[in-house]
Amino acid sequence: MEPFLVHIRCDTDGYTHAITEDEFAAGRHEGRFRAVCGHEVLAAPMIEEPGRFDPECREVLREGAAPSVPTQERRRLRWRTRR
C-alpha cells in the first residue's frame, strides 16, 4: 500500500516538501514536520502558493522504496512546560 503524502511549502527554504501522514499528525500542532528527505519543514502560511518541489524529496520518492522518515527528537516548547 502506498503511503499517503502531504505536500507542504517550507517557510525557510521555499521548497514544497513531501511529508508522510504520520509525520504530519505528529507535528501539526507545532507547524514543524520532518520531510521524507530529512529536512525539518517550518510550514509556510497556507495562503502562500506552492514553491518548487524539493529535489531531494523527489529523489527519495523516485527510488521506489517506501519513504522512511529520519527520526527526530520532539522537543517541548518552553512556554508550554511547567516548572
Side-chain angles (χ1 to χ4, degrees), residues 12-79:
T12 56
D13 69 0
Y15 284 122
T16 297
H17 293 270
I19 313 293
T20 63
E21 181 178 22
D22 293 335
E23 186 61 29
F24 179 78
R28 71 184 182 276
H29 295 295
E30 295 178 15
R32 292 182 183 271
F33 312 95
R34 184 67 60 179
V36 296
C37 67
H39 180 76
E40 184 176 345
V41 175
L42 174 61
M46 296 301 170
I47 61 171
E48 295 283 333
E49 63 183 42
R52 286 189 3 204
F53 197 72
D54 178 51
E56 292 181 34
C57 283
R58 184 184 319 274
E59 188 63 35
V60 169
L61 296 175
R62 279 187 183 163
E63 290 175 359
S68 62
V69 178
T71 58
Q72 73 181 22
E73 183 178 313
R74 296 280 179 203
R75 53 195 156 115
R76 299 179 78 181
L77 298 176
R78 289 185 184 161
W79 59 274

